[in-house]
Amino acid sequence: MRNKPQTAKRVYSIFNLIFKFASALGYLDTANPMPESKYLLPKIYEQNRAAITNDAERYGELVAKIQMQYELEDNGAGLLLFLVYCFTRPGEARKLQWHNVVWRDKVIKLSTQETKTAAPLIIPMSRQVIELLESQKRRRTTPILPNDYIFYARYRGPKYPMSDAAPGLKLRQLGYASDEQ
């Protein structure tokens, strides 16, 4: 059995509420037994994710490397550039489709089904994002369909999004370790 402290904490909270409710209604003859069992829960250790955004010079070097890689026709680098420009979640960026782009309004619209939070998301397109998306269009060898992915898996084609491991792999190819701060 895997150690899942977050799940254990949630289950503990639910049981604690149930026992409090039962106690308040008089269904329990004794006190709520849950507070005494709290010490049995596994410890939760917070761990920050690696980020080099706190060092402006190194961040600039990273962006320059990504841009150079993108100029070499690298679709994965295009995804990383999009993340740099828009600060979206990687999963939402990977799954962007051409129908999400509203050129006239210069925005990218994601519906509630397409976001992690189940809330609609509107991403304004800066000049750099517009140039990136236009470049993605020019690089296509086949006609663009509305349900094609913008950042697709090269080996599978535009009907399939890039894998969730692709951004991390691309960063490692550029010389950045997964645990680098």
Side-chain angles (χ1 to χ4, degrees):
M1 181 184 231
R2 288 179 28 187
N3 186 10
K4 298 220 174 192
Q6 291 288 354
T7 304
K9 186 176 179 182
R10 270 186 249 128
V11 169
Y12 168 84
S13 295
I14 291 169
F15 275 106
N16 192 29
L17 287 172
I18 291 169
F19 280 113
K20 278 183 179 179
F21 184 72
S23 181
L25 293 179
Y27 293 118
L28 282 180
D29 295 333
T30 62
N32 180 354
M34 292 308 290
E36 289 79 32
S37 62
K38 189 167 192 164
Y39 73 94
L40 297 173
L41 293 175
K43 296 271 186 251
I44 297 175
Y45 298 100
E46 296 293 329
Q47 185 177 5
N48 293 330
R49 303 260 179 173
I52 62 167
T53 56
N54 56 357
D55 183 346
E57 189 174 315
R58 289 187 64 221
Y59 185 69
E61 290 171 9
L62 170 62
V63 173
K65 284 182 180 180
I66 294 170
Q67 287 171 331
M68 285 180 12
Q69 196 71 28
Y70 184 66
E71 289 172 12
L72 297 173
E73 303 291 320
D74 190 324
N75 205 23
L79 173 64
L80 289 179
L81 275 180
F82 185 84
L83 291 170
V84 165
Y85 296 149
C86 295
F87 294 99
T88 60
R89 289 183 175 90
E92 292 168 353
R94 284 184 314 100
K95 295 175 185 171
L96 279 179
Q97 295 177 303
W98 288 106
H99 70 84
N100 296 117
V101 180
V102 183
W103 294 100
R104 180 184 34 131
D105 298 335
K106 295 183 180 177
V107 296
I108 298 170
K109 292 184 177 182
L110 297 174
S111 68
T112 56
Q113 293 84 18
E114 297 170 307
T115 62
K116 179 180 177 180
T117 59
L121 178 64
I122 298 175
I123 305 165
M125 292 195 301
S126 65
R127 174 186 49 81
Q128 294 91 338
V129 173
I130 292 171
E131 289 172 5
L132 175 66
L133 294 178
E134 287 175 347
S135 175
Q136 284 293 107
K137 282 171 65 173
R138 284 192 303 274
R139 291 172 182 215
R140 290 288 300 272
T141 56
T142 58
I144 294 174
L145 300 174
N147 287 335
D148 283 356
Y149 289 93
I150 296 172
F151 304 105
Y152 57 90
R154 286 255 186 237
Y155 59 92
R156 293 185 75 193
K159 299 286 180 224
Y160 299 94
M162 209 173 276
S163 81
D164 58 349
L169 290 172
K170 181 53 58 188
L171 284 173
R172 282 192 279 295
Q173 287 175 358
L174 292 173
Y176 294 89
S178 60
D179 61 350
E180 194 162 344
Q181 293 288 332

